[in-house]
Amino acid sequence: MLISQIKGSNGEIIVAVREPGGAAKAVKNAGSVYALAMEAADAGKSLVSIIEAHGYGDAVDLEKAYAEGKFLPPITHPDAAHLHLTGTGLTHLGSAATRDSMHKKTTEAAEETLTDSMKMFKMGIENGKPKAGEKGVQPEWFYKGNGYGAAAPGAPLVSPSFALDGGEEPEMAGIYVIAKDGTPFRIGFALSNEFSDHVTERINYLYLAHSKLRPASFGPEIRIGVAPEDIRGTSRIKRGDKVIFEKPFLSGEANMSHTFANLEYHHFKYGLFRVPGDVHVHMFGTATLSFADGVKTEEGDVFEIEVAEFGLPLRNPLKVAAEENIAVKQL
């Protein structure tokens, strides 16, 4: 089942559900995806059973809503500061080569010398898929922001004026709520664009944290349940009527050096991330970047990430923010 959120004519949230390829219907008295998910988590029931108990109302034209800019992120929190955008990298087969090509040193090193990126990737290959009951190696981890940085599907991804680059990262994101007893519950998975500044990151890998403090978009729909083993889609960039970049996008554990369970454990092992009522959008990495292929994005370019099993494609135009004069004042 796919679930999404649309802005109603009176400012209310309309929750829409459908089966892949099917028509969408509104969920009666839903309130929001967050409200439904917390109801399920706190009652110890499945989200699908809660949706079925609420029942279905009017048909929802998702394509029309998308064209009219009415999509919201597929989950929001009443207090945006309690929605966390985080991620992990070097998790996909081929991702190390992509990252390593960005971080090549200006001086030649011995062939046997591994960069930090290659070392991290090797650790994942060796112990990122532990046996049941065992804990695997922890991955790279980064913070992107909170719900104030979540761009709705169709809305611009805004690159700050000081950014050196604004590039897409097509990824799968796990969507989670924390029950009242502190238990993390996964709603499902969604397409995401983990928008980053790769030029800043390339200057020095210690700038990774700076490069990730950018908005992100996910959705338009969440696929409720577990992710397929082999996820295959397309990442493209459109400039006007022309496609300037298009490449296959692979994810799922068949194409990864870590299991989703291992990545989830190493995020939620921190008590900070198990605060009752919080929402987490955790992005799982990629091996496909237009930046690695020499593409320089421009304002107005449209990023599009598409995987058939996850519903409508995720589209976001690139916008560059006006320069701000920031000064701290003394009280």
Side-chain angles (χ1 to χ4, degrees):
M1 181 181 284
L2 300 168
I3 189 167
S4 57
Q5 296 191 137
I6 308 296
K7 288 182 285 189
S9 56
N10 297 316
E12 78 280 16
I13 295 175
I14 298 171
V15 176
V17 296
R18 67 185 181 113
E19 295 300 326
K25 289 187 176 181
V27 180
K28 290 183 177 179
N29 302 312
S32 65
V33 170
Y34 173 73
L36 291 172
M38 290 303 299
E39 182 181 345
D42 289 339
K45 297 181 179 179
S46 74
L47 179 55
V48 172
S49 71
I50 292 295
I51 290 169
E52 290 174 343
H54 276 254
Y56 304 107
D58 296 337
V60 178
D61 188 334
L62 295 182
E63 293 279 9
K64 184 172 183 286
Y66 212 168
E68 293 176 349
K70 292 184 177 179
F71 262 110
L72 295 166
I75 190 168
T76 47
H77 193 286
D79 180 352
H82 286 274
L83 187 153
H84 306 277
L85 298 173
T86 57
T88 185
L90 295 171
T91 54
H92 285 62
L93 305 177
S95 59
T98 300
R99 176 75 67 81
D100 206 42
S101 69
M102 290 165 52
H103 293 173
K104 284 192 180 300
K105 297 178 181 178
T106 55
T107 57
E108 290 295 322
E111 288 186 11
E112 66 270 21
T113 300
L114 294 177
T115 63
D116 289 334
S117 293
M118 293 301 290
K119 288 176 185 176
M120 181 68 76
F121 180 71
K122 187 170 181 285
M123 288 163 61
I125 288 288
E126 293 173 349
N127 197 21
K129 293 184 174 181
K131 296 177 182 177
E134 296 182 0
K135 296 178 176 64
V137 69
Q138 64 183 1
E140 173 192 36
W141 182 96
F142 56 84
Y143 173 73
K144 283 197 69 66
N146 56 29
Y148 291 104
L157 285 165
V158 181
S159 185
S161 61
F162 55 80
L164 303 179
D165 170 58
E168 86 299 339
E169 293 205 16
E171 307 188 10
M172 301 312 305
I175 315 296
Y176 309 86
V177 294
I178 311 300
K180 60 186 176 184
D181 66 357
T183 302
F185 280 90
R186 185 199 314 121
I187 295 173
F189 293 83
L191 301 175
S192 70
N193 188 336
E194 195 272 286
F195 183 66
S196 300
D197 182 343
H198 302 105
V199 173
T200 292
E201 180 187 344
R202 189 174 60 178
I203 293 170
N204 188 305
Y205 76 95
L206 294 177
Y207 278 168
L208 177 72
H210 284 282
S211 76
K212 297 298 187 184
L213 287 173
R214 301 290 187 272
S217 189
F218 57 100
E221 302 173 87
I222 301 170
R223 186 181 191 269
I224 297 173
V226 299
E229 283 279 317
D230 187 16
I231 298 170
R232 294 172 180 263
T234 304
S235 176
R236 63 178 65 89
I237 301 175
K238 295 179 179 177
R239 184 170 293 165
D241 295 329
K242 183 180 179 183
V243 175
I244 64 165
F245 173 82
E246 185 170 78
K247 205 166 186 178
F249 160 51
L250 302 178
S251 192
E253 291 183 4
N255 302 298
M256 295 171 67
S257 53
H258 288 260
T259 62
F260 286 125
N262 188 53
L263 299 174
E264 289 171 334
Y265 166 74
H266 285 296
H267 179 70
F268 290 109
K269 68 183 181 184
Y270 296 101
L272 174 65
F273 298 145
R274 300 195 306 275
V275 175
D278 278 6
V279 174
H280 289 258
V281 178
H282 192 52
M283 288 156 268
F284 289 113
T286 188
T288 303
L289 301 174
S290 65
F291 177 80
D293 283 4
V295 175
K296 183 173 176 55
T297 58
E298 298 178 359
E299 187 167 22
D301 288 350
V302 177
F303 304 112
E304 184 173 275
I305 302 164
E306 186 173 23
V307 178
E309 299 96 324
F310 290 83
L312 295 173
L314 177 61
R315 300 188 192 99
N316 299 92
L318 172 61
K319 182 179 179 180
V320 178
E323 188 171 353
E324 297 178 279
N325 186 18
I326 306 297
V328 176
K329 297 182 179 180
Q330 177 65 52
L331 289 174

